[in-house]
Amino acid sequence: MNIEADSSIFDDDGRPKRTGTVWTAGAHIITAVIGSGVLTLAWAIAQMGWIAGPIALLVFSLITLLTATILSDCYRAPDGTRNYVYKDAVNSYLGGIKVQLCALAQYTYLFGVTIGYSITTAISLVAMKKAICFHKHGHEHDCTMSNNRFIVVFGLIQILLCQVPNFHKLSFLSFIAAIMSFGYASIGLGLSIAKIGEGKHVTTSLAGKPIGKGFSATDKMWNCFAAIGNIAFAYAFSVVLIEIQDTIRSGVPESKVMKQASLIGILISTVFYMLCGILGYAAFGNEAPGNFLTGFGFYEPYWLVFIANLFIAVHLFGAYQVFCQPIFAVVEGWTTTKWPGNKFINREYTVVGSFKLSFFRLIWRSFYVVFVTLVAMLLPFFNDFVGLLGAMSFWPLTVFFPIEMYIARHKVSRWSSGRGLLLMLLSAFCLITSLLAAAGSVRGLIHSLRTFKPLHSRS
């Protein structure tokens, strides 16, 4: 290949030319960060109260911004070559068994998230039908229905979307998903403000939901652990940060652009998180539902609740792609290296305009989506597993590996310098947080298993 002759098509390393900007990277970040979990923050603050809840939101946003800044500087290896995926960066700076541990944590988490998104999207699609049902038959009517057909619909659409070749071609989807994020978060804010304006008395407190009849001190403790987990993992986009950074166009300092995109994405996300959490708690008080759009904290106007859940579903269609594309990239990169001359694996066909189709990509990606869909249908409480996977991956991927790479890169003494000591204390704090959140997820799994019935998911 004559790279110079094809400089309009290929980068200097022979890979397809990158075209991303600070805005496309920011859209990817917002798509990854502002998930439907934004609407659970009222519940999280209800558990922790007016003081601890907002402080936790702010602390984890700052931690995420710090580690994202550190990780952005690891995109280029010490010799200046690009690290295409997170694992490559760990290999460049740390090496050894840490590379395998990073890959295990990252791809297990990504796999779990795609299953969780299949379930969450189905719940939002069901909520759209329930909004109409409640409007017609009243709020006391039983409008529950099976999630499975909606999980199947989501899977069928994802089979088509998964044919988008790589992260570089996902900008349009991330922009749409980011707009959807703002849409349903804004609707949630508007409905919260309207409910506050009704003047109905709700109970809030500095310490959150009080201990009392039917709510023991143990329940309070576990709920606070779960709330901390919800807040911490709402910001965990570091798992795909290097992959997002690899979309930024050549000719500009990628780390500088990525830091700007991270600042924009996290700042916007934190503003929405604060508003949704604080106003949601003010609207519902200590009895805030787990998700006030899919959980029907609001019933009317039903058409607005319908639209909000539609926005959630559309957003998750895009977010699914942000999290599954790194899995596709690593599998397809491995097969291309293993069988470089295999025409079935490597040949692409132009089908519409410049869109290229690969039969290998079509078959293997479709198989992946079908498998994820089946697991989502068989394990309706898989969100608890995803919470556990998130708890296990937050510390290593968002905190531990970025800090370790920073220490190796700058040759910082761990315990004999102030900077090194602060970084190690931060890592220890986040490890404890992850362990507590994992404990809360395990408790949720135990409760879910008591009523477990495969293929009987309803909402």
Side-chain angles (χ1 to χ4, degrees), residues 348-360:
E348 293 184 326
Y349 302 88
T350 302
V351 288
V352 178
S354 60
F355 183 80
K356 296 184 181 298
L357 178 69
S358 161
F359 286 119
F360 170 70

Side-chain angles (χ1 to χ4, degrees), residues 194-267:
K195 193 171 185 66
I196 294 170
E198 291 176 0
K200 293 182 179 178
H201 176 72
V202 295
T203 302
T204 64
S205 69
L206 295 178
K209 189 173 181 178
I211 298 169
K213 185 177 180 181
F215 189 69
S216 66
T218 302
D219 293 329
K220 174 78 172 179
M221 178 187 70
W222 287 116
N223 281 12
C224 285
F225 289 167
I228 292 172
N230 284 347
I231 293 171
F233 308 127
Y235 285 102
F237 79 97
S238 297
V239 66
V240 290
L241 185 145
I242 296 294
E243 286 80 355
I244 293 174
Q245 192 166 348
D246 192 47
T247 67
I248 296 171
R249 65 184 175 86
S250 56
V252 298
E254 298 98 347
S255 63
K256 181 179 178 181
V257 174
M258 193 63 197
K259 289 173 186 177
Q260 293 172 343
S262 297
L263 177 60
I264 292 169
I266 293 173
L267 180 62

Side-chain angles (χ1 to χ4, degrees), residues 60 225 228-229 232-233 391-392 394-396 399 424-440:
F60 282 105
F225 289 167
I228 292 172
F233 308 127
M392 294 169 62
F394 171 75
W395 173 69
V399 180
M424 298 310 294
L425 289 175
L426 174 63
S427 183
F429 168 75
C430 292
L431 171 60
I432 293 170
T433 300
S434 287
L435 292 174
L436 293 177

Side-chain angles (χ1 to χ4, degrees), residues 321-342:
Q321 289 298 309
V322 170
F323 284 97
C324 72
Q325 283 290 339
I327 298 175
F328 297 157
V330 72
V331 171
E332 289 157 21
W334 178 80
T335 54
T336 299
T337 303
K338 185 75 173 176
W339 299 285
N342 189 295

Side-chain angles (χ1 to χ4, degrees), residues 31-36 109 112-123 154 315-321 323 383 386:
T31 300
V33 176
I34 303 183
S36 59
Y109 175 73
V113 167
T114 56
I115 296 173
Y117 279 1
S118 298
I119 298 169
T120 305
T121 306
I123 291 171
F154 180 75
H315 168 255
L316 292 177
F317 279 114
Y320 184 101
Q321 289 298 309
F323 284 97
N383 281 19
V386 172

Side-chain angles (χ1 to χ4, degrees), residues 175-198:
F175 274 121
I176 294 172
I179 292 170
M180 294 298 102
S181 299
F182 293 132
Y184 66 72
S186 299
I187 290 173
L189 288 175
L191 291 173
S192 294
I193 293 170
K195 193 171 185 66
I196 294 170
E198 291 176 0

